[in-house]
Amino acid sequence: MAQKSTLDRLKILADAAKYDASCASSGTSKRDSRGGKGIGSTEGVGICHAYAPDGRCISLLKLLLTNHCVFDCHYCVNRKSSNVERAKFTPQEVADLTLSFYKRNYIEGLFLSSGIIRSSDHTMEMLVETARILREEHDFRGYIHLKTIPEADPEIVHRAGLYADRVSINVELPTDAGLTRLAPDKNAGQIDGAMAGMKSAIVEAKDAKKRFRHAPKFAPAGQSTQMIVGADAASDADIVTRASSLYTRHRLRRVYYSAFSPIPDASAVLPLKRPPLIREHRLYQSDWLMRFYGFAPHEVAQAAGADGMLPLDIDPKLAWALKFRESFPVDVNRAPKEALLRVPGLGTRAVGQILMARRHRRLRLEDVAKLTVSVKKVQPFIVTVDWRPVLLTDRADLKALIAPKAEQLELFAA
C-alpha cells in the first residue's frame, strides 16, 4: 500500500480531532522568545481556534497522532470497529509540522491527542516524546496541550505535565453506568484516579515553585476534561452535579461539554440524532453560574424541569429566578454582591460596576440600563431610586414578557 502524503494524513487526523472540544488555551504562563533565545510564544496572534480569558484569539494545530485505536467505544468515530480511513504521524513529524506552521504564523501552539495503538503506555510515550522534541530539541516556548491516557503508567503521564502547559483526561460520559455501557474498554475508577494523581502533581509543583526558585513547572495551565452530552440518558441535572464534583475534587480549570454527534456506521445503542446544540450552550451557562456567580450545583439543578433537563428557550439563571421569585426584587443600591449576581441580565462585570458606582451616588434605572444588554430583562428583578416593579415580579406571564423572542436570521440582511 502506498504511503499517504503528509497533507493527506494531516487532513485525516485534523478532521478526526474535531470532536474534542477541550482545547482552549487559557491560563498558561507567559513565555516568549524575545532576546534571541528559543522559538515560539504563547502571546502571538494568528488563526483563531480558542480564546484566552482576556479575549485574545489563540491558534492551535489540533490533531491526533493517529486515529488507529484498539478500543471500541460506541460513540467514537475512530473506534476499532469503525470503517474509517486510518493514518498516523510519528512524534518527529508532528514536531516538524508544529514548527513549520508556527514559523508561517499559522499557529501559536499544539493540541495533541491520539487513538490507542499497541497499548496505552506505548501511545502515551509517543505523545510525551512529541512534546519533548519540541521543548528540549527546539526550545519551543509556545503552548502545548496534551490529552493524556488514564490507563497509561502514572510515571509516563507525569512526564507529560513537565512538557505541556495543560493536560486533560476525558471523563467521556456523565455517569459511570453510561461509561460502562458505551465505552467497555474504559474504567471510571482509572479515570478518576488519573485525574486525582494529576491534581496532586500540580499542587506539589506549585508548592515547590514557592520554595525553590528553579523548581520545574508542571502543567501551569492546569487540567481539564470533556463530557459527551446526549449519547446516554443522563439529564442536565446529572451532568451539572458531576461537573461540580470534578471541579471540587480535582480542581479542574474547565469542564467542556460536547454534544453527541452521530457517526458513520453507528452502534445500535446510540441515539439516531444529535441533541440540540442549544442544550450544550445551556450547560456551559450553568457551568458559568457555578464558577462565577456563586450558585451551588443543587440550585442550578433546581432551574431544570421535573425531568432534570434545563429549559432550552431561556437561560438557566432566568429559569432559576422565575422559580424563586421570593428572592426578588433586589435593591441595587443596598443588596450584597451575592444577591446582585443572581439578577437575570446582570453579569459579573456589571455587578462590579454597580458596586463601585453606588459608593458615590444612588443609582437610577437608566444607570443600570447602561450596564446591560436588555434592561427589560432586568426590570422585574430590581429596585432603583426611581423604579420599583410592584406586581410585575409576580405576574403569571412574566416569562413571556422577558424571554427572548424566537427570530429567523437573514443571511443577507442589511
Side-chain angles (χ1 to χ4, degrees):
M1 184 180 294
Q3 172 70 33
K4 294 183 177 69
S5 70
T6 299
L7 182 59
D8 288 338
R9 286 181 288 159
L10 183 60
K11 288 179 179 178
I12 293 169
L13 296 175
D15 183 70
K18 69 184 179 183
Y19 297 100
D20 203 314
S22 57
C23 62
S25 54
S26 58
T28 184
S29 58
K30 294 183 178 181
R31 293 191 304 269
D32 60 54
S33 52
R34 287 178 295 184
K37 295 181 179 180
I39 181 172
S41 168
T42 58
E43 300 185 89
V45 294
I47 302 169
C48 305
H49 287 208
Y51 288 91
D54 58 4
R56 290 181 300 110
C57 295
I58 303 293
S59 56
L60 300 175
L61 173 59
K62 179 181 177 183
L63 77 165
L64 301 185
L65 194 63
T66 178
N67 63 344
H68 291 276
C69 193
V70 299
F71 285 3
D72 204 24
C73 305
H74 290 286
Y75 50 80
C76 182
V77 69
N78 300 311
R79 68 190 186 279
K80 178 173 62 177
S81 58
S82 180
N83 184 27
V84 296
E85 189 174 13
R86 308 286 180 172
K88 65 179 179 179
F89 280 125
T90 65
Q92 185 64 58
E93 286 175 321
V94 174
D96 291 342
L97 276 172
T98 303
L99 295 170
S100 178
F101 278 36
Y102 183 85
K103 291 175 182 178
R104 289 171 171 80
N105 198 33
Y106 293 165
I107 63 165
E108 296 164 80
L110 171 67
F111 174 91
L112 186 62
S113 184
S114 181
I116 311 299
I117 53 173
R118 295 192 192 175
S119 68
S120 298
D121 287 354
H122 174 74
T123 306
M124 195 68 236
E125 285 275 13
M126 292 200 299
L127 291 170
V128 172
E129 176 62 10
T130 304
R132 187 203 64 78
I133 292 171
L134 285 168
R135 295 292 196 217
E136 294 186 355
E137 296 184 15
H138 300 280
D139 200 12
F140 181 69
R141 303 188 182 192
Y143 177 84
I144 297 179
H145 181 156
L146 291 183
K147 181 58 63 67
T148 59
I149 302 169
E151 295 81 12
D153 187 300
E155 178 57 34
I156 307 175
V157 175
H158 184 273
R159 280 164 42 206
L162 296 174
Y163 297 116
D165 293 271
R166 173 171 288 182
V167 293
S168 56
I169 303 170
N170 284 358
V171 296
E172 306 292 355
L173 293 160
T175 65
D176 292 350
L179 188 70
T180 301
R181 179 168 175 261
L182 299 180
D185 298 301
K186 294 182 179 291
N187 181 279
Q190 276 186 320
I191 294 172
D192 195 72
M195 295 176 79
M198 188 61 66
K199 181 200 78 170
S200 297
I202 292 172
V203 171
E204 289 172 7
K206 287 182 178 179
D207 182 59
K209 198 68 180 176
K210 293 176 183 177
R211 294 183 288 116
F212 307 107
R213 181 179 177 183
H214 297 292
K217 292 181 179 179
F218 187 92
Q223 67 168 321
S224 60
T225 192
Q226 175 175 310
M227 280 192 278
I228 299 170
V229 176
D232 62 359
S235 68
D236 291 341
D238 295 331
I239 295 171
V240 166
T241 301
R242 180 66 188 279
S244 173
S245 173
L246 292 171
Y247 279 126
T248 302
R249 291 188 295 112
H250 301 310
R251 300 187 186 179
L252 299 187
R253 295 298 293 269
R254 288 293 303 273
V255 173
Y256 291 88
Y257 307 98
S258 179
F260 165 73
S261 181
I263 56 177
D265 304 318
S267 167
V269 302
L270 292 173
L272 296 178
K273 62 179 183 178
R274 67 182 304 161
L277 285 177
I278 190 66
R279 181 185 177 193
E280 179 184 301
H281 180 61
R282 297 302 183 212
L283 285 168
Y284 275 115
Q285 289 178 319
S286 69
D287 192 273
W288 228 249
L289 292 183
M290 292 187 292
R291 294 170 62 208
F292 301 110
Y293 289 81
F295 280 75
H298 74 274
E299 291 177 310
V300 177
Q302 287 170 343
D307 58 355
M309 305 299 285
L310 294 169
L312 300 180
D313 55 339
I314 57 175
D315 65 81
K317 189 177 180 183
L318 177 56
W320 184 87
L322 290 172
K323 276 194 172 184
F324 296 93
R325 300 190 192 189
E326 65 273 13
S327 301
F328 303 96
V330 170
D331 188 336
V332 297
N333 288 295
R334 297 185 178 186
K337 179 181 179 180
E338 294 74 18
L340 290 172
L341 284 171
R342 298 192 172 226
V343 175
L346 292 183
T348 54
R349 183 176 298 179
V351 169
Q353 291 175 322
I354 287 172
L355 294 173
M356 186 178 300
R358 74 184 190 182
R359 295 176 186 172
H360 308 287
R361 60 190 176 87
R362 293 180 62 76
L363 302 180
R364 306 174 69 85
L365 185 61
E366 64 179 351
D367 297 320
V368 178
K370 295 175 183 178
L371 304 175
T372 183
V373 175
S374 174
V375 70
K376 179 181 177 182
K377 183 177 181 180
V378 177
Q379 278 183 287
F381 303 103
I382 63 169
V383 171
T384 65
V385 171
D386 61 338
W387 167 258
R388 184 173 292 275
V390 192
L391 299 178
L392 181 59
T393 307
D394 297 323
R395 287 185 57 157
D397 60 345
L398 180 58
K399 177 180 175 181
L401 288 176
I402 60 177
K405 301 293 186 293
E407 179 183 1
Q408 178 62 53
L409 300 180
E410 297 180 32
L411 185 60
F412 301 106

